[in-house]
Amino acid sequence: MGLEAVVGDIKEKGKREVAAVQAETRAEVTRILTEAQERAAGIKQQASEEVERDVQRIINQEVSAANLSVKREMLNAEKDTLGRVHDTVVTRIAGMPATFHEMALRALLPEAAAAVGGGVVYCNARDIPTVKKILAESKELAAFSIGEPISVEGGVVIESADGRMKIDYSYRTFLETVWESGLKDASDILFP
């Protein structure tokens, strides 16, 4: 075999080895690229899922905050409405005819006399003539005197003779008692 044949064999063998290395390199490059693409797709999917979870969490928080805000506004509106109803009731009771106030005072004063015995009766300026008349007519109320007018819609405040006890029989006090006990019922009726 001549030198040319040996050189040809070596070249041929080198070409085959180069082709094999190139094929092996291409296969390795393809495998690496495929793995990289799979990892990138996995990372992209994971990031997409995290973004979706974050978006859903933010939406849930915003919806909860909006619901809370709406509920707070509703409660404030209900409270405002109930406050206006309360004020209207107080105003209407204060505006009742004189016969109503006299009838109420005739019921309240003997009750106060039973609880206190004697002392000073305080009422609004409108009711002073009526209270004076009731005190003058009743022997059981003889131990009471009338004090300076106070700012109440109606009813009386009684102070014992020694000043240690006060009984509030004003309309507002009665209304507050009824209001507190019936507030839930009133709210249920007004805001079903």
Side-chain angles (χ1 to χ4, degrees):
M1 202 171 155
L3 189 53
E4 281 184 27
V6 172
V7 169
D9 278 346
I10 292 174
K11 279 183 181 181
E12 195 56 41
K13 188 177 177 185
K15 284 181 185 179
R16 282 193 308 265
E17 283 181 16
V18 166
V21 168
Q22 285 177 340
E24 194 178 299
T25 301
R26 277 194 296 275
E28 182 66 18
V29 166
T30 302
R31 184 187 63 76
I32 290 172
L33 286 175
T34 302
E35 284 178 10
Q37 287 172 344
E38 288 172 359
R39 276 197 319 256
I43 291 169
K44 183 179 177 183
Q45 178 65 30
Q46 183 180 0
S48 177
E49 289 170 2
E50 282 182 30
V51 166
E52 185 60 35
R53 279 192 304 270
D54 288 346
V55 165
Q56 195 58 47
R57 181 181 48 78
I58 290 169
I59 288 171
N60 289 342
Q61 286 175 342
E62 291 300 317
V63 167
S64 293
N67 285 338
L68 184 61
S69 179
V70 166
K71 186 168 185 140
R72 186 180 305 119
E73 289 298 318
M74 293 273 299
L75 288 173
N76 286 338
E78 289 175 9
K79 180 181 175 186
D80 184 50
T81 300
L82 288 171
R84 286 194 313 256
V85 168
H86 180 274
D87 293 345
T88 300
V89 169
V90 169
T91 302
R92 285 195 178 172
I93 289 174
M96 296 292 283
T99 54
F100 170 83
H101 296 293
E102 182 175 348
M103 190 171 67
L105 292 168
R106 286 191 181 277
L108 294 173
L109 286 169
E111 210 173 299
V116 177
V120 181
V121 177
Y122 298 97
C123 63
N124 63 32
R126 174 199 65 216
D127 292 334
I128 286 178
T130 304
V131 171
K132 283 181 179 179
K133 178 178 147 187
I134 295 169
L135 292 178
E137 292 174 356
S138 173
K139 290 179 186 171
E140 68 179 23
L141 299 174
F144 287 95
S145 63
I146 191 145
E148 293 296 316
I150 59 173
S151 179
V152 292
E153 291 80 11
V156 292
V157 174
I158 310 295
E159 184 176 18
S160 64
D162 61 10
R164 291 194 296 176
M165 182 164 62
K166 270 192 179 178
I167 299 176
D168 188 345
Y169 284 158
S170 66
Y171 293 170
R172 185 172 290 274
T173 300
F174 285 113
L175 177 61
E176 295 303 324
T177 302
V178 171
W179 190 259
E180 289 300 318
S181 66
L183 185 59
K184 183 177 179 346
D185 294 336
S187 182
D188 289 346
I189 290 168
L190 292 173
F191 314 108

